[in-house]
Amino acid sequence: IAISSGACPDDLFHVDDEEGSRIVLINLWYVACFEDEIPEGRPLGVRMLGQEFAVWRTADGGVACVSNICVHRGGALARGGVK
């Protein structure tokens, strides 16, 4: 695997999922979905880099993305709503 000279071991993440086994760079920008895929009033569940995320539109029209796991109950945030 060729990694740019600016990468360090903390930037590497091993992913093993249905797409296969690979090493990816983390702490960078990745495309989670297209803007028109985000539903109105509820989060969208997306999978990238072997992890689950919830993406939603904020009150001012921006986009937010967090881990899809509720730290309190372990549920999927993408199954909830946006107020």
Side-chain angles (χ1 to χ4, degrees):
I1 296 174
I3 303 295
S4 73
S5 60
C8 68
D10 292 340
D11 293 331
L12 303 178
F13 182 75
H14 185 259
V15 175
D16 231 349
D17 61 13
E18 65 276 351
E19 296 175 16
S21 180
R22 62 203 178 283
I23 294 176
V24 296
L25 290 169
I26 58 173
N27 299 325
L28 299 173
W29 289 94
Y30 288 92
V31 175
C33 64
F34 291 104
E35 183 177 20
D36 61 354
E37 293 178 303
I38 303 171
E40 194 71 32
R42 68 179 185 84
L44 171 69
V46 296
R47 182 171 180 81
M48 63 180 176
L49 304 176
Q51 305 293 315
E52 299 290 331
F53 295 91
V55 179
W56 71 95
R57 194 157 298 281
T58 62
D60 64 355
V63 175
C65 179
V66 296
S67 172
N68 194 27
I69 300 170
C70 171
V71 296
H72 301 101
R73 302 229 175 195
L77 295 176
R79 290 186 177 177
V82 176
K83 289 186 180 184

XYZ file of all heavy atoms in Angstrom:
622
model
N 0.853 -1.177 0.000
C 0.000 0.000 0.000
C 0.889 1.227 0.000
O 1.785 1.336 0.822
C -0.913 0.018 1.238
C -1.855 -1.183 1.181
C -1.676 1.307 1.340
C -2.698 -1.335 2.403
N 0.632 2.142 -0.890
C 1.381 3.397 -0.940
C 0.588 4.479 -0.205
O -0.572 4.706 -0.495
C 1.620 3.802 -2.380
N 1.206 5.097 0.773
C 0.578 6.167 1.551
C 1.414 7.428 1.355
O 2.638 7.367 1.332
C 0.527 5.801 3.055
C -0.222 4.484 3.277
C -0.107 6.916 3.867
C -1.679 4.518 2.917
N 0.751 8.578 1.226
C 1.495 9.821 1.028
C 2.409 10.091 2.217
O 2.160 9.638 3.328
C 0.530 10.998 0.825
O -0.084 11.332 2.046
N 3.432 10.858 1.991
C 4.414 11.121 3.034
C 3.827 11.892 4.209
O 4.378 11.886 5.297
C 5.604 11.894 2.457
O 5.159 13.126 1.921
N 2.678 12.569 4.020
C 2.054 13.319 5.094
C 1.231 12.456 6.039
O 0.797 12.907 7.092
N 0.992 11.205 5.684
C 0.163 10.319 6.514
C 0.992 9.716 7.640
O 2.169 9.429 7.478
C -0.443 9.209 5.663
N 0.366 9.557 8.801
C 1.028 8.893 9.914
C 0.154 7.721 10.365
O -1.001 7.628 9.961
C 1.287 9.879 11.053
S -0.191 10.462 11.874
N 0.670 6.801 11.190
C -0.118 5.627 11.593
C -1.459 5.966 12.234
O -2.406 5.211 12.088
C 0.809 4.913 12.582
C 2.175 5.325 12.175
C 2.030 6.743 11.679
N -1.578 7.120 12.903
C -2.846 7.499 13.518
C -3.907 7.845 12.483
O -5.087 7.918 12.801
C -2.656 8.692 14.458
C -1.842 8.322 15.690
O -1.746 7.121 16.006
O -1.300 9.244 16.322
N -3.495 8.088 11.244
C -4.430 8.425 10.175
C -4.962 7.189 9.453
O -5.805 7.306 8.583
C -3.762 9.329 9.137
C -3.423 10.697 9.682
O -4.134 11.154 10.594
O -2.462 11.302 9.192
N -4.476 6.011 9.799
C -4.872 4.784 9.108
C -5.906 4.025 9.918
O -5.846 3.949 11.140
C -3.655 3.896 8.863
C -2.526 4.530 8.067
C -1.363 3.550 7.943
C -2.990 4.970 6.700
N -6.882 3.435 9.223
C -7.958 2.699 9.865
C -8.222 1.457 9.038
O -8.408 1.539 7.822
C -9.208 3.590 9.938
C -10.377 2.964 10.621
C -10.398 2.832 11.993
C -11.464 2.528 9.885
C -11.487 2.262 12.629
C -12.551 1.967 10.512
C -12.560 1.837 11.892
N -8.235 0.298 9.664
C -8.492 -0.951 8.964
C -9.984 -1.220 8.945
O -10.637 -1.212 9.979
C -7.754 -2.118 9.634
C -7.910 -3.393 8.878
N -8.792 -4.356 9.255
C -7.314 -3.832 7.755
C -8.734 -5.361 8.401
N -7.834 -5.058 7.486
N -10.542 -1.432 7.753
C -11.968 -1.701 7.583
C -12.125 -3.114 7.042
O -11.498 -3.487 6.063
C -12.612 -0.693 6.604
C -14.064 -1.049 6.349
C -12.485 0.714 7.140
N -12.978 -3.886 7.689
C -13.301 -5.250 7.266
C -14.815 -5.345 7.223
O -15.461 -5.450 8.266
C -12.755 -6.244 8.290
C -11.929 -7.338 7.663
O -11.940 -7.467 6.441
O -11.284 -8.059 8.435
N -15.424 -5.267 6.041
C -16.877 -5.341 5.947
C -17.278 -6.084 4.685
O -16.459 -6.751 4.064
C -17.512 -3.951 6.025
C -17.079 -3.027 4.892
O -16.480 -3.500 3.911
O -17.354 -1.821 4.998
N -18.560 -5.949 4.290
C -19.067 -6.689 3.135
C -18.390 -6.279 1.832
O -18.448 -7.005 0.852
C -20.589 -6.519 3.021
C -21.061 -5.111 2.728
C -21.193 -4.228 3.954
O -21.080 -4.712 5.093
O -21.388 -3.015 3.774
N -17.747 -5.136 1.818
C -17.021 -4.690 0.626
C -15.599 -5.239 0.583
O -14.884 -5.031 -0.381
C -16.991 -3.167 0.578
C -18.367 -2.543 0.440
C -18.327 -1.036 0.518
O -17.236 -0.453 0.377
O -19.393 -0.447 0.723
N -15.171 -5.906 1.643
C -13.839 -6.486 1.683
C -12.980 -5.870 2.767
O -13.449 -5.095 3.592
N -11.719 -6.224 2.756
C -10.767 -5.729 3.744
C -9.882 -4.674 3.094
O -9.379 -4.877 1.994
C -9.914 -6.894 4.252
O -8.995 -6.446 5.201
N -9.738 -3.530 3.774
C -8.908 -2.471 3.216
C -8.437 -1.533 4.321
O -8.969 -1.543 5.421
C -9.656 -1.691 2.146
C -10.897 -0.992 2.677
C -11.875 -0.723 1.559
N -13.086 -0.104 2.004
C -14.085 -0.730 2.615
N -14.002 -2.003 2.870
N -15.162 -0.086 2.978
N -7.454 -0.740 4.011
C -6.972 0.296 4.922
C -7.364 1.635 4.322
O -7.153 1.887 3.133
C -5.448 0.203 5.108
C -5.100 -1.103 5.811
C -4.932 1.390 5.896
C -3.627 -1.354 5.964
N -7.967 2.508 5.140
C -8.401 3.814 4.664
C -7.772 4.895 5.527
O -7.343 4.644 6.650
C -9.942 3.952 4.685
C -10.587 2.974 3.743
C -10.475 3.777 6.091
N -7.731 6.087 4.996
C -7.266 7.247 5.755
C -8.466 7.860 6.477
O -9.524 8.051 5.881
C -6.642 8.286 4.831
C -5.306 7.905 4.215
C -4.917 8.887 3.121
C -4.233 7.853 5.277
N -8.309 8.158 7.765
C -9.376 8.810 8.515
C -9.007 10.265 8.767
O -7.930 10.710 8.384
C -9.668 8.073 9.845
C -8.411 8.008 10.717
C -10.216 6.694 9.583
C -8.670 7.442 12.105
N -9.881 10.995 9.413
C -9.695 12.422 9.693
C -9.597 13.238 8.410
O -8.890 14.236 8.347
C -8.470 12.664 10.582
C -8.600 11.973 11.912
O -9.697 11.862 12.464
N -7.503 11.481 12.435
N -10.293 12.789 7.380
C -10.365 13.497 6.102
C -11.843 13.652 5.740
O -12.714 13.114 6.406
C -9.649 12.700 5.003
C -8.159 12.447 5.230
C -7.626 11.508 4.169
C -7.389 13.756 5.201
N -12.136 14.370 4.681
C -13.505 14.532 4.211
C -13.864 13.396 3.270
O -13.104 13.070 2.368
C -13.651 15.862 3.470
C -13.597 17.040 4.369
C -12.495 17.785 4.673
C -14.667 17.602 5.117
N -12.820 18.779 5.553
C -14.158 18.687 5.836
C -16.020 17.295 5.245
C -14.942 19.475 6.669
C -16.799 18.076 6.073
C -16.260 19.144 6.767
N -15.036 12.795 3.479
C -15.562 11.750 2.601
C -17.003 12.079 2.246
O -17.715 12.691 3.043
C -15.513 10.378 3.287
C -14.125 9.826 3.422
C -13.380 10.059 4.566
C -13.557 9.080 2.408
C -12.093 9.565 4.693
C -12.268 8.578 2.526
C -11.545 8.825 3.673
O -10.277 8.336 3.789
N -17.454 11.665 1.099
C -18.841 11.868 0.691
C -19.698 10.801 1.366
O -19.475 9.616 1.191
C -18.987 11.774 -0.842
C -20.445 11.872 -1.246
C -18.155 12.847 -1.515
N -20.677 11.247 2.159
C -21.576 10.323 2.858
C -22.828 10.058 2.023
O -23.363 8.955 2.026
C -21.968 10.887 4.218
N -23.312 11.090 1.329
C -24.510 10.956 0.502
C -24.625 12.213 -0.362
O -23.882 13.168 -0.183
C -25.761 10.785 1.361
S -26.133 12.205 2.398
N -25.585 12.185 -1.272
C -25.888 13.368 -2.054
C -26.880 14.229 -1.275
O -27.699 13.721 -0.505
C -26.473 12.992 -3.420
C -25.471 12.350 -4.330
C -25.496 10.993 -4.550
C -24.489 13.112 -4.955
C -24.570 10.383 -5.382
C -23.555 12.524 -5.786
C -23.593 11.154 -5.991
N -26.825 15.518 -1.498
C -27.669 16.459 -0.767
C -29.154 16.119 -0.874
O -29.888 16.186 0.107
C -27.403 17.864 -1.294
C -28.150 18.944 -0.570
C -27.789 20.317 -1.091
O -27.267 20.439 -2.211
O -28.055 21.271 -0.351
N -29.597 15.715 -2.060
C -31.024 15.422 -2.249
C -31.455 14.088 -1.638
O -32.635 13.756 -1.641
C -31.406 15.497 -3.727
C -30.659 14.494 -4.595
O -29.758 13.796 -4.087
O -30.969 14.424 -5.796
N -30.520 13.318 -1.110
C -30.863 12.059 -0.443
C -31.276 12.252 1.018
O -31.846 11.355 1.621
C -29.673 11.089 -0.479
C -29.321 10.600 -1.857
C -28.110 9.689 -1.847
O -27.046 10.123 -1.364
O -28.244 8.545 -2.324
N -30.996 13.414 1.587
C -31.307 13.665 2.998
C -32.784 14.011 3.106
O -33.230 15.030 2.576
C -30.446 14.802 3.570
C -28.967 14.482 3.389
C -30.781 15.029 5.042
C -28.040 15.621 3.726
N -33.582 13.161 3.796
C -35.012 13.419 3.886
C -35.329 14.606 4.789
O -34.535 14.967 5.661
C -35.574 12.121 4.475
C -34.434 11.485 5.166
C -33.185 11.944 4.477
N -36.471 15.204 4.582
C -36.928 16.323 5.389
C -37.448 15.812 6.733
O -38.251 14.883 6.783
C -38.059 17.051 4.649
C -38.401 18.398 5.198
C -37.334 19.437 4.925
O -36.661 19.346 3.888
O -37.179 20.337 5.763
N -36.952 16.362 7.830
C -37.489 16.055 9.152
C -37.030 14.771 9.806
O -37.506 14.409 10.880
N -36.115 14.049 9.174
C -35.580 12.836 9.813
C -34.167 12.564 9.313
O -33.796 13.000 8.228
C -36.484 11.638 9.585
C -36.551 11.140 8.172
C -37.471 9.913 8.051
N -37.441 9.375 6.707
C -36.536 8.535 6.255
N -35.559 8.118 7.042
N -36.562 8.091 5.019
N -33.384 11.840 10.108
C -32.010 11.537 9.691
C -31.960 10.419 8.646
O -32.889 9.629 8.516
C -31.321 11.079 10.979
C -32.335 11.121 12.053
C -33.652 11.412 11.456
N -30.865 10.389 7.948
C -30.578 9.343 6.977
C -29.456 8.485 7.527
O -28.417 9.014 7.940
C -30.147 9.975 5.643
C -29.605 9.036 4.568
C -30.719 8.145 4.036
C -28.955 9.827 3.456
N -29.632 7.183 7.561
C -28.565 6.277 7.973
C -27.667 5.963 6.793
O -28.150 5.605 5.724
N -26.365 6.156 6.961
C -25.402 5.841 5.900
C -24.264 5.004 6.482
O -23.952 5.087 7.659
C -24.818 7.118 5.232
C -25.900 7.896 4.533
C -24.092 7.976 6.214
N -23.675 4.193 5.633
C -22.525 3.386 6.032
C -21.341 3.805 5.177
O -21.424 3.833 3.951
C -22.823 1.904 5.846
C -21.697 1.003 6.288
C -22.151 -0.453 6.280
N -21.092 -1.324 6.699
C -20.737 -1.564 7.958
N -21.386 -0.978 8.931
N -19.759 -2.381 8.248
N -20.252 4.160 5.841
C -19.016 4.471 5.124
C -17.835 4.137 6.014
O -17.933 4.220 7.244
C -18.982 5.925 4.646
C -18.998 6.969 5.706
S -18.964 8.592 4.946
C -19.114 9.566 6.406
N -16.762 3.726 5.404
C -15.544 3.354 6.117
C -15.815 2.267 7.157
O -15.188 2.218 8.203
C -14.908 4.576 6.782
C -14.595 5.745 5.852
C -14.061 6.918 6.650
C -13.631 5.328 4.772
N -16.792 1.413 6.884
C -17.110 0.319 7.794
C -17.854 0.753 9.036
O -18.020 -0.036 9.962
N -18.333 1.986 9.088
C -19.036 2.522 10.250
C -20.415 3.029 9.841
O -20.640 3.402 8.693
C -18.236 3.689 10.861
C -16.813 3.355 11.217
C -16.713 2.358 12.348
O -17.406 2.486 13.344
N -15.862 1.369 12.194
N -21.334 3.063 10.823
C -22.684 3.581 10.591
C -22.764 5.031 11.064
O -22.275 5.362 12.146
C -23.707 2.739 11.364
C -23.734 1.281 10.966
C -24.318 1.048 9.581
O -25.170 1.849 9.137
O -23.920 0.066 8.944
N -23.404 5.898 10.260
C -23.556 7.307 10.583
C -24.999 7.745 10.375
O -25.736 7.138 9.601
C -22.650 8.177 9.697
C -21.194 7.951 9.927
C -20.489 7.013 9.188
C -20.517 8.674 10.899
C -19.140 6.792 9.409
C -19.163 8.459 11.130
C -18.469 7.515 10.382
N -25.411 8.815 11.064
C -26.699 9.466 10.853
C -26.419 10.855 10.302
O -25.632 11.609 10.866
C -27.476 9.552 12.161
N -27.070 11.184 9.187
C -26.902 12.473 8.528
C -28.268 13.155 8.496
O -29.262 12.523 8.172
C -26.387 12.286 7.082
C -26.224 13.620 6.379
C -25.085 11.507 7.061
N -28.320 14.444 8.860
C -29.594 15.162 8.821
C -29.358 16.619 8.492
O -28.244 17.116 8.550
C -30.347 15.016 10.141
C -29.739 15.774 11.277
C -30.087 17.029 11.710
C -28.670 15.357 12.119
N -29.293 17.400 12.766
C -28.405 16.381 13.043
C -27.890 14.198 12.195
C -27.422 16.298 14.013
C -26.908 14.116 13.157
C -26.681 15.150 14.052
N -30.448 17.289 8.147
C -30.389 18.711 7.848
C -30.748 19.492 9.108
O -31.721 19.186 9.787
C -31.359 19.050 6.723
C -31.102 20.409 6.158
C -31.626 20.591 4.754
N -31.038 19.721 3.746
C -29.842 19.903 3.177
N -29.083 20.892 3.557
N -29.423 19.096 2.236
N -29.933 20.496 9.432
C -30.152 21.320 10.616
C -31.232 22.375 10.340
O -31.651 22.557 9.199
C -28.848 22.018 11.044
O -28.421 22.885 9.987
C -27.752 21.004 11.364
N -31.672 23.072 11.396
C -32.733 24.068 11.272
C -32.368 25.184 10.298
O -33.231 25.720 9.601
C -33.059 24.654 12.640
N -31.076 25.520 10.198
C -30.657 26.590 9.288
C -30.291 26.081 7.896
O -29.762 26.814 7.070
C -29.504 27.392 9.882
C -28.234 26.577 10.065
O -28.253 25.354 9.813
O -27.216 27.162 10.471
N -30.561 24.795 7.623
C -30.316 24.233 6.295
C -28.965 23.581 6.119
O -28.679 23.026 5.061
N -28.113 23.622 7.150
C -26.818 22.956 7.075
C -26.979 21.445 7.180
O -28.082 20.929 7.338
N -25.894 20.741 7.099
C -25.911 19.288 7.205
C -25.038 18.865 8.380
O -23.962 19.408 8.589
C -25.403 18.631 5.898
C -25.304 17.131 6.033
C -26.312 19.004 4.738
N -25.529 17.898 9.161
C -24.781 17.370 10.310
C -24.623 15.863 10.146
O -25.454 15.200 9.531
C -25.523 17.691 11.600
N -23.552 15.324 10.723
C -23.274 13.894 10.639
C -22.613 13.444 11.931
O -21.642 14.055 12.382
C -22.355 13.620 9.451
S -21.898 11.889 9.255
N -23.151 12.388 12.547
C -22.587 11.803 13.760
C -22.664 10.290 13.663
O -23.332 9.745 12.783
C -23.333 12.272 15.043
C -23.186 13.768 15.258
C -24.785 11.861 15.010
N -22.030 9.609 14.592
C -22.162 8.159 14.685
C -23.639 7.819 14.838
O -24.387 8.529 15.506
C -21.373 7.643 15.887
O -21.645 6.279 16.094
N -24.089 6.746 14.237
C -25.499 6.361 14.251
C -25.907 5.663 15.556
O -27.028 5.198 15.681
C -25.813 5.466 13.055
C -27.303 5.310 12.829
O -28.100 6.169 13.170
N -27.684 4.194 12.249
N -25.026 5.573 16.526
C -25.337 4.861 17.770
C -25.585 5.846 18.902
O -24.739 6.676 19.216
C -24.187 3.911 18.156
C -23.967 2.882 17.050
C -24.481 3.225 19.483
C -22.722 2.054 17.222
N -26.750 5.753 19.528
C -27.059 6.560 20.701
C -26.190 6.078 21.856
O -26.215 4.896 22.208
C -28.536 6.427 21.063
S -28.968 7.171 22.651
N -25.418 6.986 22.451
C -24.510 6.590 23.533
C -25.269 6.223 24.810
O -24.729 5.550 25.675
C -23.461 7.680 23.834
C -22.561 7.896 22.630
C -24.113 8.976 24.252
N -26.514 6.648 24.938
C -27.292 6.363 26.149
C -28.002 5.018 26.091
O -28.049 4.294 27.077
C -28.331 7.474 26.378
C -27.714 8.811 26.521
N -27.687 9.726 25.499
C -27.070 9.384 27.555
C -27.060 10.805 25.902
N -26.670 10.633 27.145
N -28.568 4.673 24.947
C -29.389 3.462 24.841
C -28.910 2.480 23.782
O -29.465 1.393 23.662
C -30.831 3.854 24.557
C -31.396 4.757 25.634
C -32.685 4.251 26.055
N -33.178 5.053 27.177
C -34.141 4.651 27.924
N -34.710 3.488 27.688
N -34.561 5.372 28.919
N -27.960 2.881 22.960
C -27.439 1.965 21.940
C -28.320 1.859 20.714
O -28.062 1.035 19.842
N -29.366 2.657 20.609
C -30.256 2.610 19.454
C -29.677 3.352 18.263
O -28.720 4.105 18.374
N -30.296 3.133 17.120
C -29.872 3.805 15.886
C -30.503 5.184 15.795
O -31.729 5.320 15.776
C -30.271 2.972 14.666
N -29.698 6.225 15.750
C -30.192 7.596 15.679
C -30.966 7.842 14.373
O -31.886 8.652 14.341
C -29.041 8.585 15.797
C -28.309 8.586 17.138
C -27.129 9.531 17.088
C -29.256 8.950 18.270
N -30.607 7.147 13.305
C -31.282 7.338 12.021
C -32.725 6.868 12.061
O -33.496 7.181 11.160
C -30.513 6.613 10.915
N -33.120 6.150 13.080
C -34.519 5.733 13.221
C -35.365 6.790 13.913
O -36.578 6.636 14.055
C -34.604 4.423 14.010
C -34.064 3.261 13.230
C -34.299 1.993 13.999
N -33.851 0.854 13.213
C -33.879 -0.377 13.637
N -34.322 -0.646 14.847
N -33.457 -1.349 12.866
N -34.727 7.863 14.362
C -35.433 8.929 15.089
C -35.905 10.033 14.184
O -36.049 9.852 12.971
N -36.146 11.183 14.753
C -36.617 12.341 14.027
C -35.750 13.549 14.316
O -34.877 13.513 15.171
N -36.026 14.628 13.600
C -35.302 15.878 13.766
C -36.320 16.951 14.135
O -37.328 17.105 13.464
C -34.556 16.283 12.476
C -33.879 17.631 12.641
C -33.549 15.212 12.100
N -36.066 17.671 15.237
C -36.975 18.753 15.638
C -36.350 20.088 15.351
O -35.179 20.268 15.388
C -37.255 18.667 17.144
C -38.116 17.490 17.495
C -38.458 17.558 18.959
C -39.337 16.378 19.331
N -39.762 16.440 20.713
